[in-house]
Amino acid sequence: MLDRLSDRLNNVIRSVSGKSRITEQNIAEAVEEIKSALLEADVNLKVVRRFVSRTVREASGESVLRSVSPGQQFVKVVYDKLVEFLGDERQDLVLRGPDVPSVILFAGLQGSGKTTSAAKLALRLKKEGRRPLLVAADLVRPAAVDQLQQLGERTGIPVAAIPGSTDPRAVVTAGLARAKKEQFNVVIIDTAGRMQVDEDLMEEIRQVAALAKPDERILVADAMTGQNAVEVARAFHESVDLTGVILSKFDSDTRGGAALSIKTIAGTPIKFIGTGEGVEDLEPFYPERIASRILGMGDVVSLVEKAQETIDADDAEQLQKKIRSATFTLQDYLEQFQRVRKMGSVQSILEMIPGMKGNVDPDQLDLDQMKREEAIILSMTLEERHNHRIIGMSRRKRIAAGSGSSVFEVGQLIKRFDKMRTMMKKVSKNKKYQSQLMAQMGRR
């Protein structure tokens, strides 16, 4: 979402960071470019003015101008200001202990992704060991209750609903009673939305909040609506005292101004971001990590966390043993393909690796070859994947026909795999081969 802003800021950073000496004029020119980039990214005008004035004040200080590396100091100032305006630090949910039900109230306009986000958060809390219950109190939008029930079935999370009811308070009362009786320790209430903010909507949410006494009041705002999302957040915050925001559709091709404006203008932190349409596509919002990505510094911590989510520690240990003993098979190779895909797009992974953003074009990576290799392996029997040495000419012809490739391509895959397996074994025993392996992977 922040690609355009990132590109503009990176150009400014590159022009300044390499200088052995910078002047107030250099800073003024750089800050003017930053101002233009922020406005283009649809950042609120008040936020832009504050960002620029604070950056100029700190960058013009003697600690920067007389620093041994003034360019790098300037980058640090910009980074610190981005973190500050994004929200300073990670704001987690404030929930009660596991023996006492915590209530989370969801609010938002229609089309913001409110109902889906409620299910996403419920699934996340379930994985953390909580016992969530979803309450279908959106009785305005047609099929909202059905949608939540379907999401509940997909995620294995119970949904409290009263068929045919027109009173959201009755639904909430029944949901809270069920949570207490069946010992659910998190209750997530999906309230009604409207096409736009109006007093009827706010009054209904106030009544539900007074009844449920929620520990968290979360607004789901659509990142694609830009400054409108900021204004919506401010209106809801003034009415129901929000404790946080989930910014949905963060993976969309929008300018990103909402992320930089919400905390300052609406006065409430972003707690999570929606990064896709899947029920697992909800991530905590870390201001320092987002700022690091914007400035092209990568986000290694998030990359490691994504890897940990897709690769079990025991599996990783077993894989390491196979590599050391050269028993790594094509089946293992296939599983690594699939795990990397679960981590996200190649673009998103490259952005998390320091120095990669802007220096490696995802379009230049041979993703088609990876897909062809996957198709070839999938056309093999399980026996062939575990022992590729039995794949003679007749088997190669069958595999080629099944995968839509040629016998030559099947042979090339086996040859590359053999070479890679040998090199991986050497790397596991001797670090001097590490650069060779990286070069080999780069050619792939």
Side-chain angles (χ1 to χ4, degrees), residues 219-231:
L219 172 75
V220 180
D222 184 351
M224 294 183 70
T225 59
Q227 283 308 300
N228 187 51
V230 180
E231 294 306 317

Side-chain angles (χ1 to χ4, degrees), residues 243-256:
T243 59
V245 172
I246 292 178
L247 202 56
S248 65
K249 306 174 189 175
F250 198 78
D251 58 322
S252 62
D253 185 22
T254 54
R255 289 177 288 177

Side-chain angles (χ1 to χ4, degrees), residues 183-378:
Q183 296 184 326
F184 291 101
N185 55 21
V186 178
V187 180
I188 298 178
I189 303 171
D190 180 30
T191 63
R194 298 286 194 281
M195 294 305 294
Q196 59 185 11
V197 175
D198 60 38
E199 186 52 36
D200 290 340
L201 168 64
M202 293 303 186
E203 181 58 30
E204 181 177 315
I205 293 175
R206 281 194 290 265
Q207 290 179 7
V208 171
L211 175 66
K213 297 180 175 58
D215 301 280
E216 289 276 0
R217 294 169 297 282
I218 302 292
L219 172 75
V220 180
D222 184 351
M224 294 183 70
T225 59
Q227 283 308 300
N228 187 51
V230 180
E231 294 306 317
V232 168
R234 179 163 57 180
F236 273 90
H237 188 47
E238 290 172 354
S239 181
V240 295
D241 190 22
L242 296 173
T243 59
V245 172
I246 292 178
L247 202 56
S248 65
K249 306 174 189 175
F250 198 78
D251 58 322
S252 62
D253 185 22
T254 54
R255 289 177 288 177
L260 277 162
S261 306
I262 281 180
K263 179 66 171 67
T264 301
I265 301 301
T268 186
I270 301 171
K271 294 199 171 184
F272 294 93
I273 50 176
T275 56
E277 296 181 359
V279 290
E280 296 185 346
D281 296 330
L282 184 73
E283 296 181 7
F285 184 78
Y286 291 92
E288 69 280 7
R289 298 187 191 180
I290 298 297
S292 184
R293 285 196 218 180
I294 290 174
L295 295 179
M297 298 174 182
D299 181 3
V300 175
V301 177
S302 291
L303 183 61
V304 170
E305 287 177 353
K306 279 182 174 289
Q308 288 175 336
E309 287 174 8
T310 57
I311 302 173
D312 182 80
D314 292 335
D315 290 342
E317 187 177 346
Q318 285 295 112
L319 184 62
Q320 186 65 22
K321 288 179 180 177
K322 288 183 176 182
I323 290 172
R324 284 198 297 265
S325 61
T327 56
F328 183 73
T329 68
L330 281 168
Q331 178 64 25
D332 298 317
Y333 191 45
L334 176 64
E335 289 172 1
Q336 298 320 302
F337 270 154
Q338 295 167 343
R339 282 170 177 158
V340 170
R341 188 178 294 118
K342 286 181 182 178
M343 288 174 62
S345 66
V346 173
Q347 175 72 42
S348 65
I349 293 173
L350 286 176
E351 286 178 0
M352 294 182 195
I353 302 173
M356 285 293 190
K357 183 174 176 62
N359 295 320
V360 177
D361 184 356
D363 294 334
Q364 291 178 348
L365 298 176
D366 199 348
L367 301 181
D368 289 336
Q369 182 180 327
M370 292 175 66
K371 291 176 182 177
R372 286 195 298 271
E373 289 189 356
E374 184 177 14
I376 291 171
I377 298 171
L378 287 170

